[in-house]
Amino acid sequence: MTGPAPAPRSRTPRRPRRPEWAGRNYTLLTASAVVTNLGTHGALIAAAFAVLESGGDGGDVGLVAAARTLPLVLFTLIGGAIADRLPRHRVMVAANALNCVSQAAFAALVLMGEPQLWQMMLLTALCGTGQAFFNPAAEGMLISSVRGEQAGRAFALFRLAMHGAGIGGAALGGVLIAGFGPGWVLAVDAAAFAVAGAFRAFLDVSHVPRRGNGGGLLADLRDGWSEFAGRTWLWSITAQFAVVNAVVGAAEAVYGPLVAEESLGGAGPWGLALAAFGAGTIGGALVMTRWKPRRMLFVGTVCVFPLALPSAALAVPLPFGGLAAVMFVSGVAIEVFGVVWMTALHQEVPEEKLSRVSAYDWFSSTAMLPLSTALAGPTEQLFGLEESLWGCAALVVLVTGLVLLVPDVRNLTRRTRQVAGHRIESTPPVSAAASGS
């Protein structure tokens, strides 16, 4: 007679390799963002020095920078509507393909000889067009890829990885430009877009609610505008960043390389200064993996003030060590804003409308960039480089102070209790909902 069968051995459950909120889409999005940031941060520096090495001046650098940002104004709203209508990952992959081709052609022109200004502007504009369609789709995809109360931490970790790659890209780009010239950096950027596009082709969009058959593109744009304009905190902050991004963009794309060429020693130190900004964003992201400010937009807006510091440091100009320290501080501060901003969008905006709302955000925030970068050169010639940089710093302080007067910005609060789905809620916050919008 046989005894009882031995009890099956209990197995210790295997610990998940990644947090529950870090699903497949989140992982693919993070990996692809790392790859593109390694290439793009160096390529932005390379484009400016390609213009200077071909005999251009500050005005020409501004024109090329404007050519990149003008398509963001022209096509971002359409890109957002399309991203909510078509599978978002297909929009992202198509945009990456256009970026890859345009940057490869730019690299070939620089490596083969002296590129013409119109050629650099055209290819840069094509790259900007890809970005105009990519940004709303990517932001909507990322915001919808995380769940519940850990959304803020997820966004902080995503941005930590992205900005970490940006540090390497800016530093490596500056070194490669100094050693081999800007053409090779542009070629690396083209390859990075190809790799990232391959990653993004495997994203899963089955969780995004299916769109109804009614309405066309104009109806989608009107619906997105209604969502955007109905939230005072949303349109006031994006209006603020229309000015902030314009003056910071002019300082970084035009005035920074000029000061670097005159006082800092060229592309290498400027690339390292931008890398210090990237290091600051990593520090800010690390802070935000732990910190969950309740009045999140108030905290975030206060953290915009330090964006005036780099322009002031370039105006003095501070030596490289001082400039790097200022760039680090501003990087920490703006990353705090970035995480709370994404958390607010995740909390307040319906998932099926994220790309359209993000498109209005991107459009408003970049609307003045083409004008500011195009006028940066003439402004510098009219008023002087130092005076232009002090003006940039003063505008950042002014518009940020005005936004703090908006009650919804000061009072919108973080919700803490999870309910069905990925939205979170508790008692209604004192925000747009309380003001009837």
Side-chain angles (χ1 to χ4, degrees):
M1 189 172 176
T2 60
R9 293 182 180 179
S10 61
R11 293 184 178 181
T12 304
R14 296 178 65 182
R15 295 183 63 185
R17 295 182 179 179
R18 58 193 180 195
E20 183 181 350
W21 45 262
R24 180 168 173 266
N25 278 0
Y26 179 87
T27 303
L28 285 170
L29 288 166
T30 303
S32 55
V34 167
V35 172
T36 50
N37 273 268
L38 279 171
T40 300
H41 277 69
L44 291 174
I45 307 171
F49 280 91
V51 175
L52 294 175
E53 289 185 9
S54 66
D57 57 14
D60 295 329
V61 173
L63 288 174
V64 172
R68 182 184 183 92
T69 54
L70 181 60
L72 294 175
V73 178
L74 297 178
F75 301 119
T76 293
L77 294 182
I78 297 173
I82 289 175
D84 276 340
R85 181 172 289 272
L86 299 178
R88 287 172 181 156
H89 69 310
R90 293 182 184 176
V91 178
M92 295 166 71
V93 171
N96 284 168
L98 178 58
N99 290 143
C100 174
V101 172
S102 61
Q103 289 295 79
F106 195 172
L109 281 175
V110 175
L111 290 171
M112 287 189 301
E114 293 186 1
Q116 300 297 310
L117 178 62
W118 71 266
Q119 294 172 325
M120 292 186 285
M121 291 178 65
L122 174 62
L123 292 171
T124 304
L126 287 175
C127 192
T129 300
Q131 206 67 29
F133 284 86
F134 175 85
N135 288 339
E139 188 160 303
M141 196 78 193
L142 175 63
I143 291 174
S144 68
S145 71
V146 298
R147 299 290 184 265
E149 294 184 40
Q150 295 299 319
R153 187 179 188 191
F155 298 145
L157 290 172
F158 171 85
R159 295 170 69 92
L160 176 64
M162 182 179 68
H163 292 309
I167 290 177
L172 182 61
V175 172
L176 288 177
I177 293 168
F180 302 97
W184 289 108
V185 179
L186 293 167
V188 168
D189 190 36
F193 277 119
V195 173
F199 285 164
R200 288 162 177 149
F202 293 98
L203 291 167
D204 178 15
V205 295
S206 61
H207 66 286
V208 179
R210 288 187 175 274
R211 294 287 308 279
N213 294 326
L217 187 63
L218 289 178
D220 288 346
L221 290 173
R222 286 195 299 268
D223 194 22
W225 172 254
S226 178
E227 289 287 337
F228 176 81
R231 294 171 167 82
T232 308
W233 60 268
L234 183 55
W235 62 256
S236 62
I237 288 180
T238 53
Q240 167 201 12
F241 270 85
V243 177
V244 171
N245 286 339
V247 297
V248 171
E252 183 174 308
V254 181
Y255 300 146
L258 291 176
V259 174
E261 193 78 9
E262 294 176 3
S263 306
L264 298 177
W270 180 236
L272 291 175
L274 293 177
F277 177 85
T281 62
I282 286 185
L286 286 172
V287 169
M288 295 307 291
T289 61
R290 299 287 183 182
W291 188 29
K292 297 180 180 180
R294 183 171 178 271
R295 295 168 63 194
M296 48 188 177
L297 288 183
F298 172 76
V299 170
T301 302
V302 169
C303 287
V304 178
F305 283 112
L307 282 188
L309 294 177
S311 294
L314 289 168
V316 172
L318 292 181
F320 170 74
L323 176 62
V326 162
M327 296 287 276
F328 179 85
V329 170
S330 63
V332 172
I334 197 58
E335 190 60 18
V336 173
F337 171 84
V339 172
V340 299
W341 181 248
M342 294 184 73
T343 305
L345 291 175
H346 176 270
Q347 174 177 291
E348 300 291 325
V349 179
E351 183 171 2
E352 68 275 11
K353 299 179 181 180
L354 279 170
S355 288
R356 276 168 287 171
V357 171
S358 294
Y360 279 102
D361 175 16
W362 279 100
F363 172 80
S364 301
S365 298
T366 59
M368 293 175 62
L369 263 174
L371 183 62
S372 70
T373 50
L375 292 179
T379 301
E380 180 262 332
Q381 293 173 3
L382 182 62
F383 297 104
L385 183 56
E386 179 182 342
E387 289 77 9
S388 299
L389 283 163
W390 281 120
C392 290
L395 282 172
V396 171
V397 172
L398 175 63
V399 297
T400 303
L402 290 175
V403 167
L404 285 177
L405 300 177
V406 177
D408 286 355
V409 172
R410 297 196 307 271
N411 299 326
L412 188 142
T413 56
R414 181 187 300 269
R415 303 177 189 177
T416 57
R417 183 159 55 86
Q418 185 171 357
V419 294
H422 79 280
R423 297 300 180 193
I424 49 179
E425 62 180 28
S426 56
T427 56
V430 182
S431 64
S435 62
S437 58

